[in-house]
Amino acid sequence: PRQGKEKSQPSPIMGKYQIRRAKPEDCKEILRLIKVICKVFYKEDYVLKHTKDLLEGGFGDDAVYHCLIMEIPKEEGTTSHSHTVIGFAMYYFTFDSWMGKILYLEDFYVMETYRGMGIGSETLKMLSKIGIEAHCKGMHFLVVKWNKPAIKYYERRGASNLSKEEGWFLFEFSKENLLKIEAEG
């Protein structure tokens, strides 16, 4: 999953966070955090433009992803919702022809101000439980090679770097490529 750094102002509230499944009304906050990740990776033009895409993709009968929300209570004197979203973990299930069912972690992000408080570790524990309960044979995810803190974080927890160990490369066909391939006679 893509992790990155951003500047944030909220003050940490030790031990008062919660992790829960996302609801449709969380899409605005999920999109906000996705935009933060895209800024870190200089891919702002790739980001979804509307919460409609998140709503259609993650909720209802045709949902293709799931999401956990990390949040803390809002500070006194603020209005609107009673909690502030400080992170999310987006995942889906896929099938590997060699292994079987896999939980694929698409994005895992905790705002920098709230890192080191156990929120990421608790979320990873929840994701592991979800994968085990869904009879998954493992969890796959990507980490950009320059994100050394994330690589160390996952390796400390026993993750294998398949690109290093097995030499796999990730490839992509863009939508434009798909259209060209489809048009080939």
Side-chain angles (χ1 to χ4, degrees):
R2 298 172 287 260
Q3 288 187 339
K5 294 184 177 184
E6 92 297 338
K7 302 291 185 252
S8 181
Q9 298 305 323
S11 58
I13 301 174
M14 297 297 285
K16 295 195 177 193
Y17 63 87
Q18 70 175 5
I19 304 164
R20 62 171 174 77
R21 293 194 184 267
K23 298 179 261 186
E25 54 267 25
D26 294 317
C27 288
K28 182 178 177 185
E29 290 299 303
I30 296 168
L31 183 58
R32 175 182 63 85
L33 293 174
I34 290 171
K35 287 178 179 182
V36 169
I37 294 170
C38 286
K39 262 187 181 170
V40 170
F41 289 90
Y42 311 106
K43 303 283 186 182
E44 293 177 73
D45 49 331
Y46 288 164
V47 72
L48 295 171
K49 304 293 185 221
H50 307 285
T51 57
K52 178 182 175 217
D53 296 313
L54 289 169
L55 278 168
E56 290 175 356
F59 302 93
D61 294 337
D62 295 329
V64 293
Y65 77 86
H66 308 278
C67 192
L68 296 177
I69 294 292
M70 296 154 246
E71 61 186 5
I72 59 167
K74 277 202 175 175
E75 294 180 21
E76 287 187 39
T78 58
T79 57
S80 130
H81 298 83
S82 61
H83 288 82
T84 299
V85 175
I86 59 165
F88 75 106
M90 183 179 287
Y91 65 96
Y92 55 89
F93 298 100
T94 187
F95 192 85
D96 182 289
S97 61
W98 294 0
M99 293 179 63
K101 189 175 182 180
I102 301 291
L103 186 149
Y104 188 88
L105 184 55
E106 176 63 30
D107 279 320
F108 184 23
Y109 183 77
V110 178
M111 291 172 59
E112 188 173 1
T113 305
Y114 300 98
R115 294 181 191 163
M117 299 171 63
I119 298 168
S121 295
E122 249 343 275
T123 304
L124 195 57
K125 187 187 293 186
M126 285 182 74
L127 289 164
S128 298
K129 182 179 181 189
I130 290 167
I132 290 166
E133 289 176 354
H135 307 287
C136 292
K137 305 295 187 212
M139 182 188 310
H140 287 180
F141 50 90
L142 297 173
V143 180
V144 68
K145 65 183 178 182
W146 53 258
N147 193 343
K148 303 296 185 211
I151 292 168
K152 287 179 183 176
Y153 175 85
Y154 294 119
E155 286 179 340
R156 275 195 320 266
R157 285 156 180 78
S160 300
N161 183 340
L162 297 180
S163 57
K164 192 187 305 183
E165 294 175 17
E166 297 186 21
W168 293 99
F169 292 94
L170 174 68
F171 287 86
E172 173 191 35
F173 283 123
S174 68
K175 184 173 182 180
E176 292 76 24
N177 293 124
L178 294 175
L179 290 168
K180 285 179 187 176
I181 293 168
E182 180 191 33
E184 291 174 357

